[in-house]
Amino acid sequence: MDEPPPSQPDASEQSPDAPPIDRPIVIAANRLPVMRTDDHGWTPSPGGLVRALYPMLRESGGTWVGWTGDPDDAADPFTVDGVDLHPVAVTADEIELYYEGFSNDALWPLYHDALRESTYSIEQWDAYRAVNERFAITLANIAPENSVVWIHDYQLQLVPGVLREQRPDLTIGFFLHIPFPPVELFTRLPWRTEIIRGLLGCDLVGFQRPTGAANFVAAAHQLLDAEHADDSVFYDGREVQAGVFPISIDVAEVEAMAAGRATRRQVSQIRARLGDPEVVMLGVDRLDYTKGIGLRLKAFAKLLEDGRLDPAHNVMVQVATPTREAVEAYQDERAEIERLVGEINGRFSSIGLPVVHYLYQTLPYDDLVALYRAGDVMLVTPFRDGMNLVAKEYAAAHIDGDGVLVLSEFAGAADELTDAVLVNPHDDRALQDAIVEAVEMHRHERRERMAGLRDQIRKSDVQGWAHRFLAALDAAGTRS
Ligand code: GDG
């Protein structure tokens, strides 16, 4: 006798990793979610986006289009964990022009309040356009009929427009991980109209903060005279929605790591190695000029100089992860940070007890979680940041319910993490006062604020973020 067919699980039994829609999903991002191992295999790469989307694709058997990370790598499509991976080749020249150049030396500074002068070069723009077209053509060739395509970040803003022309049957979404600048800044870009037209190929464009969505709608209106109403732009006979989807982290994963016995042991070791100070202050950032690392070091130095903090009791640990080392502005920033660390240590350290511990390294994620737990005061002081996941990871790691987060108003996370000590990092005195307030905060207030932070991040983790975006995209595609 035949076995009875297995019963379909009802919605309540669905795996939390299952996607919220039943159409095929195709993701496109600059990088594939895997990296090569020493024995020429592939392993999932670390990083928030991969942690958010990879389990879902594994569950549904989806597709991911991206660059492998190696120059001129025209690897054939392959499958890892049931996820179809389609490499897009990027030449060594294009890495310099499209990635280091246009993406990270023109768009990145412009989108972050023009903190550095952007380089605008037609050669870089041509490479950006060529790589974007290559991504769009790959997507057009492989996306199943009527599927949902979700494109990520500032490196790929022209992809939706080209893809829409080729495949009008698709539902196309885009999420910008960094801020979308005010029109006054955006219109400096010589190719501003092409970028807006590219994004208007979408059914839904997602932003971290309401200001990003509003800036985008305003730019579409000003540059293309596009009609708009509430959160929608009407262009080329179609409606393009602009939505707000603040990204988050895998809260359960960070909590589980923080609770592990190995982590607890590591926390005591870290504090002992630091000389058992009363207060461990912590910074964790990619070494990027948007993150305000120098500003925070200067505030710490001034507090030591004025005697408001005592170097015998207060130490700072700064992890600065190497990033974009080929871009000159990043080399300058590193030199400035290292000069400051040297100056502060020279002035305020004693033998065997540096007052600033500086690591220019990428640490394993579990070491980072141990550091978060060891940190009494976390300093997140960017001049401008799309969201800032470090702020959320710090709160998730503090399962002990203690710890204080000092957070820049200019990080997207400030919209949600209102129990942090919020500060304007451009205001030296306010930043110094915020650090002292955090260091001296009464235990009762610390615990109350940390409870508020933890409630907030538990309400919205990264799986929820992906599900909300995809459900909204599915609905937007069905409507138009
Ligand atoms: C962009 C936007 C937005 C850092 N050092 C190490 C390490 N990290 C990890 C952190 C965190 C991630 O890198 C950094 O995320 P952020 O959000 O802070 O910043 P960006 O890299 O600038 O990210 C940002 C984000 O996209 C997501 O949309 O929030 O605004 O700029 O997860 O843990 N990880 C490991 N070792 C390190 O030394 N393993």
Side-chain angles (χ1 to χ4, degrees):
M1 215 174 82
D2 286 346
E3 290 270 320
S7 59
Q8 291 295 311
D10 69 32
S12 60
E13 284 173 30
Q14 252 191 13
S15 149
D17 290 332
I21 58 177
D22 52 19
R23 292 198 275 161
I25 298 170
V26 182
I27 304 280
N30 177 49
R31 291 290 296 270
L32 282 174
V34 293
M35 50 191 205
R36 281 204 168 84
T37 56
D38 291 342
D39 56 358
H40 306 293
W42 297 91
T43 182
S45 26
L49 191 62
V50 175
R51 259 193 288 274
L53 300 177
Y54 198 70
M56 192 178 72
L57 287 192
R58 216 165 30 202
E59 186 79 17
S60 62
T63 306
W64 192 307
V65 171
W67 172 42
T68 61
D70 293 320
D72 300 303
D73 190 357
D76 286 332
F78 57 103
T79 303
V80 177
D81 295 335
V83 182
D84 293 328
L85 300 163
H86 287 261
V88 175
V90 181
T91 67
D93 268 358
E94 285 169 342
I95 294 167
E96 201 183 313
L97 297 169
Y98 143 80
Y99 181 70
E100 287 156 5
F102 199 75
S103 298
N104 288 328
D105 206 21
L107 295 174
W108 180 270
L110 180 68
Y111 282 30
H112 288 89
D113 291 354
L115 281 168
R116 293 283 182 282
E117 200 75 43
S118 285
T119 304
Y120 298 122
S121 121
I122 185 86
E123 221 191 338
Q124 291 181 356
W125 164 251
D126 285 343
Y128 182 84
R129 213 177 39 196
V131 174
N132 273 248
E133 278 168 8
R134 199 171 307 142
F135 266 82
I137 287 161
T138 308
L139 286 163
N141 288 339
I142 59 147
E145 179 84 16
N146 280 318
S147 56
V148 166
V149 177
W150 186 5
I151 301 154
H152 289 264
D153 229 359
Y154 60 103
Q155 303 92 349
L156 301 180
Q157 293 172 101
L158 300 177
V159 174
V162 182
L163 185 57
R164 170 72 56 196
E165 273 174 24
Q166 309 231 342
R167 291 287 305 273
D169 61 298
L170 299 174
T171 295
I172 305 174
F174 181 94
F175 184 76
L176 185 68
H177 290 256
I178 66 175
F180 192 91
V183 184
E184 294 78 5
L185 288 180
F186 182 69
T187 47
R188 290 183 184 184
L189 185 65
W191 304 280
R192 59 207 182 175
T193 313
E194 287 87 337
I195 295 279
I196 289 289
R197 249 196 225 113
L199 291 172
L200 288 173
C202 289
D203 295 285
L204 171 67
V205 187
F207 299 89
Q208 303 271 28
R209 301 183 93 167
T211 41
N215 290 343
F216 167 71
V217 171
H221 176 64
Q222 183 169 320
L223 292 168
L224 292 169
D225 207 19
E227 290 292 320
H228 60 103
D230 299 329
D231 299 332
S232 291
V233 178
F234 301 91
Y235 182 68
D236 213 12
R238 290 183 310 107
E239 176 177 354
V240 181
Q241 287 181 25
V244 181
F245 302 86
I247 198 169
S248 190
I249 55 161
D250 188 336
V251 177
E253 184 192 31
V254 176
E255 286 186 343
M257 273 189 186
R261 198 179 302 162
T263 307
R264 274 180 292 156
R265 217 178 16 241
Q266 228 179 327
V267 173
S268 326
Q269 281 169 356
I270 292 169
R271 293 196 71 104
R273 284 203 202 133
L274 294 173
D276 278 320
E278 274 168 31
V279 179
V280 176
M281 276 174 271
L282 179 65
V284 174
D285 314 78
R286 279 187 308 101
L287 202 160
D288 194 298
Y289 53 80
T290 58
K291 302 288 183 183
I293 304 171
L295 204 75
R296 146 184 355 148
L297 286 167
K298 284 182 195 155
F300 183 51
K302 183 78 171 87
L303 292 169
L304 294 171
E305 182 182 300
D306 292 351
R308 295 177 78 193
L309 292 181
D310 180 347
H313 302 303
N314 301 278
V315 301
M316 185 186 284
V317 178
Q318 176 65 55
V319 179
T321 309
T323 181
R324 306 176 192 169
E325 288 173 293
V327 181
E328 199 181 322
Y330 288 75
Q331 297 162 4
D332 295 347
E333 181 68 9
R334 180 179 172 196
E336 170 64 4
I337 301 293
E338 295 184 351
R339 189 191 64 74
L340 279 168
V341 170
E343 186 181 309
I344 299 169
N345 275 336
R347 237 180 120 187
F348 299 104
S349 299
S350 46
I351 287 177
L353 288 176
V355 69
V356 180
H357 297 254
Y358 168 75
L359 303 177
Y360 182 66
Q361 295 164 29
T362 303
L363 302 179
Y365 198 57
D366 43 358
D367 287 359
L368 206 58
V369 172
L371 260 181
Y372 286 142
R373 274 213 64 181
D376 301 300
V377 173
M378 180 86 217
L379 301 172
V380 178
T381 57
F383 291 108
R384 179 63 70 191
D385 214 331
M387 175 55 58
N388 197 291
L389 297 179
V390 165
K392 294 188 172 184
E393 288 166 355
Y394 177 71
H398 269 268
I399 50 174
D400 59 352
D402 208 341
V404 186
L405 173 66
V406 175
L407 178 62
S408 161
E409 293 164 14
F410 298 97
D415 286 347
E416 298 164 278
L417 302 184
T418 49
D419 281 300
V421 176
L422 294 174
V423 66
N424 171 6
H426 298 272
D427 182 342
D428 297 352
R429 186 70 198 188
L431 180 56
Q432 292 157 29
D433 290 348
I435 294 174
V436 172
E437 181 187 343
V439 167
E440 292 178 351
M441 191 177 285
H442 192 274
R443 183 167 183 272
H444 181 71
E445 184 179 350
R446 293 201 306 258
R447 298 192 72 82
E448 224 167 65
R449 284 180 182 253
M450 183 49 78
L453 294 175
R454 291 179 51 74
D455 278 354
Q456 176 56 43
I457 55 162
R458 283 176 149 186
K459 275 197 294 210
S460 57
D461 70 359
V462 73
Q463 290 82 5
W465 167 80
H467 283 202
R468 272 194 303 280
F469 187 91
L470 283 168
L473 178 56
D474 190 36
T478 320
R479 234 175 50 175
S480 61

